[in-house]
């Protein structure tokens, strides 16, 4: 039986030491280009694919991998343009450091804590608003893996890359208030990942997991006070549309004149449902979102929304992770957001404005 060729055999074929051959595979500047070519040629002749990456990582004390934890199934990450921008920002920085990105799903796709205990990670990024009681967080902390949180979890010793969810939503709500809207309702992202959808009760709200969801609800209430809130089971266009059909398919005097959705994909679903019901946006209904996602398929409609720096949020998280890996102590960041007025917000219907003078 043939055996797998070894680095020593490659070194002997190339006429160099094993250490020189190892440096050649690492593309070290300490090895002359001609010598490196000779080592690689010898490896090709012997069918040697390179040093064992696991053994190399053990020698270095690093795996060369950073894990990104996603709150929901990976399907969510690849459908949500904001999650994609965030992950693109993370991978951009990690690639510059020659570090790989491992995506770890949430919900039913999450690896077990036993698996997480065995996955070699240099650092972990909770990329989509992680939870303080996530078992993976405790497992990683027990292992001493450096952790960066993107909008959550808010835990002592974990670097946080945050945005002003409450302030941005407050600006959005104030914009609608100044347009004369008073019958306003909110379509919220999931408060917990348990499949629940429907009106948010005080009891349900008290059990809300996600910081961004809580803060965006509070931003609306800073302007309008308590308003009806309808929870969706996932952050998706069809969930926004289903919620909007329930809120809008009522007599005109009970129908909201404005809906604030907690994401742009939910807001896109509201626009879709309004069209199905024969309502004009923004004449009959103003619609607002959050994220500043590029939803080209909505054109020429352009959402009124709060723009957040999704790619920069990802880059900042990855820079913080690499700083932690190198022994640094990165500071937490609060990145700015900005109101962008589009074509989906307008003056409240005249009857509603006169009723609230």
């Amino acid at each position: 039986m043939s055996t797998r060729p070894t680095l020593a055999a490659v070194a002997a074929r190339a006429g160099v030491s094993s250490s020189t051959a190892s440096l050649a595979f690492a593309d070290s500047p300490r090895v002359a280009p001609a010598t490196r070519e000779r080592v690689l040629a010898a490896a090709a002749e012997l069918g040697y694919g390179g040093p064992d990456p696991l053994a190399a990582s053990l020698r270095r004390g690093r795996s060369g991998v950073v894990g990104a934890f996603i709150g929901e199934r990976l399907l969510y990450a690849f459908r949500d343009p904001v999650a994609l921008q965030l992950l693109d920002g993370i991978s951009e920085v990690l690639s510059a450091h020659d570090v790989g990105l491992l995506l770890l799903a949430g919900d039913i796709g999450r690896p077990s804590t036993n698996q997480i205990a065995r996955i070699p990670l240099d650092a972990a990024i909770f990329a989509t608003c992680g939870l303080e009681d996530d078992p993976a967080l405790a497992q990683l902390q027990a292992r001493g893996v450096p952790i960066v949180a993107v909008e959550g979890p808010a835990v002592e010793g974990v670097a946080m890359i945050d945005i002003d969810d409450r302030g941005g939503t407050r600006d959005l709500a104030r914009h609608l208030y100044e347009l004369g809207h008073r019958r306003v309702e909110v379509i919220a992202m999931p408060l917990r990942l348990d499949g629940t959808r429907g009106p948010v009760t005080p009891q349900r709200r008290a059990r809300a997991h996600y910081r961004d969801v809580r803060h965006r609800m509070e931003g609306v209430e800073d302007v309008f006070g308590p308003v009806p809130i309808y929870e969706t089971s996932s952050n998706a266009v069809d969930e926004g549309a289903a919620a909007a059909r329930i809120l809008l398919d009522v007599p005109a005097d009970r129908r909201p004149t404005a809906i604030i959705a907690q994401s742009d994909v939910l807001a896109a679903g509201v626009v879709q449902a309004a069209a199905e019901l024969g309502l004009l946006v923004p004449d009959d209904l103003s619609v607002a979102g959050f994220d500043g996602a590029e939803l080209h398929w909505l054109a020429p409609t352009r959402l009124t929304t709060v723009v957040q720096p999704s790619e920069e949020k990802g880059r900042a998280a990855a820079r913080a992770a690499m700083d932690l890996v190198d022994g640094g102590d990165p500071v937490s960041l609060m990145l700015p957001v900005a109101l962008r007025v589009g074509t989906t917000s307008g003056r409240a219907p005249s009857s509603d404005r006169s009723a609230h003078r």
Side-chain angles (χ1 to χ4, degrees):
M1 293 176 63
S2 62
T3 58
R4 184 179 184 275
T6 64
L7 181 64
V10 172
R13 174 68 67 93
V16 299
S17 67
S18 293
S19 61
T20 298
S22 179
L23 290 171
F25 277 103
D27 202 18
S28 170
R30 294 164 57 189
V31 178
T35 302
R36 182 174 183 276
E37 290 302 319
R38 197 162 73 248
V39 170
L40 295 180
E45 292 170 10
L46 294 175
Y48 179 73
D52 182 354
L54 180 58
S57 69
L58 289 172
R59 287 194 298 272
R60 294 193 308 269
R62 293 188 183 181
S63 66
V65 176
V66 168
F69 286 81
I70 307 298
E72 297 189 62
R73 296 169 56 196
L74 288 183
L75 181 65
Y76 152 77
F78 292 114
R79 284 181 173 175
D80 184 343
V82 174
L84 283 175
Q85 289 177 320
L86 175 73
L87 292 172
D88 191 55
I90 292 173
S91 64
E92 177 187 325
V93 171
L94 295 185
S95 295
H97 287 268
D98 201 23
V99 169
L101 175 63
L102 175 65
L103 294 182
L104 295 156
D107 202 16
I108 58 174
R110 172 66 60 83
S112 68
T113 52
N114 286 336
Q115 288 176 296
I116 291 171
R118 297 193 301 268
I119 296 173
L121 297 174
D122 292 338
I125 299 172
F126 282 82
T128 57
C129 199
L131 305 176
E132 287 77 9
D133 61 356
D134 191 327
L137 175 64
Q139 184 75 63
L140 294 165
Q141 288 177 313
R143 288 178 52 190
V145 175
I147 301 170
V148 177
V150 178
E151 295 189 77
V155 175
E156 179 99 26
V158 172
M160 175 81 79
I161 308 301
D162 211 351
I163 61 170
D164 189 4
D165 287 290
R166 183 168 183 167
T169 306
R170 186 189 305 120
D171 291 343
L172 182 63
R174 188 177 296 116
H175 164 69
L176 293 171
Y177 187 92
E178 290 171 351
L179 288 172
H181 294 278
R182 299 297 182 269
R183 294 205 309 270
V184 174
E185 300 195 27
V186 170
I187 294 180
M189 297 183 292
L191 277 66
R192 301 173 70 93
L193 283 180
D194 57 9
T196 296
R197 60 169 66 90
V200 175
T201 64
Q203 295 77 15
R204 176 70 178 177
R205 181 162 175 171
R207 300 180 66 237
H209 260 153
Y210 294 102
R211 294 176 71 252
D212 55 349
V213 175
R214 295 197 302 265
H215 291 169
R216 293 178 196 184
M217 289 190 291
E218 291 161 354
V220 175
E221 292 168 338
D222 288 342
V223 176
F224 288 104
V227 298
I229 301 172
Y230 191 97
E231 179 183 4
T232 57
S233 65
S234 68
N235 184 31
V237 173
D238 58 349
E239 282 287 323
R245 290 186 198 103
I246 292 171
L247 302 185
L248 298 175
D249 195 11
V250 296
D253 62 345
R254 290 171 42 207
R255 192 170 60 222
T257 64
I259 289 179
I260 299 175
Q262 288 194 340
S263 76
D264 284 350
V265 292
L266 291 175
V270 177
V271 172
Q272 174 184 309
E276 292 171 1
L277 294 170
L279 299 174
L280 298 178
V281 175
D283 296 346
D284 301 318
L285 175 74
S286 286
V287 180
F290 194 110
D291 289 329
E294 292 300 326
L295 304 179
H296 300 292
W297 47 271
L298 264 185
T301 299
R302 186 172 174 82
L303 286 173
T304 291
T305 187
V306 177
V307 180
Q308 63 160 307
S310 299
E311 288 187 25
E312 178 52 32
K313 193 163 64 170
R315 286 191 286 267
R319 285 194 293 265
M322 296 315 302
D323 193 8
L324 284 166
V325 169
D326 291 335
D329 186 20
V331 297
S332 294
L333 295 177
M334 173 73 80
L335 299 177
V337 297
L339 173 66
R340 184 182 72 198
V341 177
T343 63
T344 60
S345 60
R347 298 287 297 173
S350 56
S351 60
D352 190 69
R353 291 200 303 274
S354 61
H356 290 87
R357 280 176 184 165

